[in-house]
Amino acid sequence: MRTLTAALCLGLLVAATAPARAAEVAVLDWRAALMDSDAAERAMSALRTRLADRQQEASALGEELQGMQQRLEGEGMTETARRTTLQAFQEKGQRFERLHREIAQARHEAEQAFLQQAEPRLDQAVRQVIERHGVAVLVDPNGVLHADQDLQDLTGEVTARLNALD
């Protein structure tokens, strides 16, 4: 009888602690938390302002290239005009590609600088949220292959903490 009582108690203990253990696991999309923060919005806004002239030039060049391509595909152009237009098209196309590379490089550098600068605050915000929720295991949502139940998503709370640290 004692063995049966002990087995039942052990079974109840395991059943009672299983959900608690599952609650200690949570997910965090740290990229989303960081990029949704006020600091990220300010950094991206500053980048858009800094790149506005190049973006505008690239957009105008793109429209101009489309018009030139339509003229080149059309009829009624002399051979000399076609060659001149084709040469201008190639030069503007090279400028367009160069601008796009410069813009992409500037974005990449700005994102890397932001991530490096924001990392200590992100770490602090994550630690605060982990402590608040008693999380033992924190995983990236893309790394979860299977979970029997929905895992607590701390992304929004980390973003709120990041905003409070600014």
Side-chain angles (χ1 to χ4, degrees), residues 68 71-72 77 80-90:
M68 291 173 85
R71 283 195 310 269
L72 285 167
M77 220 181 207
T80 305
R82 183 175 299 284
R83 260 187 264 130
T84 304
T85 303
L86 185 58
Q87 183 178 356
F89 180 82
Q90 290 171 340

Side-chain angles (χ1 to χ4, degrees), residues 40-76:
E41 182 56 40
R42 285 190 304 272
M44 293 303 114
S45 178
L47 177 64
R48 280 190 295 275
T49 300
R50 200 174 85 226
L51 296 177
D53 292 342
R54 285 190 241 170
Q55 283 282 74
Q56 207 168 25
E57 182 182 354
S59 180
L61 272 173
E63 290 176 15
E64 194 174 344
L65 286 167
Q66 284 179 336
M68 291 173 85
Q69 183 175 8
Q70 289 173 351
R71 283 195 310 269
L72 285 167
E73 291 172 352
E75 300 292 322

Side-chain angles (χ1 to χ4, degrees), residues 100-121:
H100 269 281
R101 280 193 308 272
E102 289 173 7
I103 291 168
Q105 179 68 27
R107 273 197 184 117
H108 177 73
E109 289 172 1
E111 287 172 3
Q112 291 304 315
F114 173 73
L115 287 174
Q116 188 175 15
Q117 170 263 333
E119 187 177 2
R121 287 191 342 271

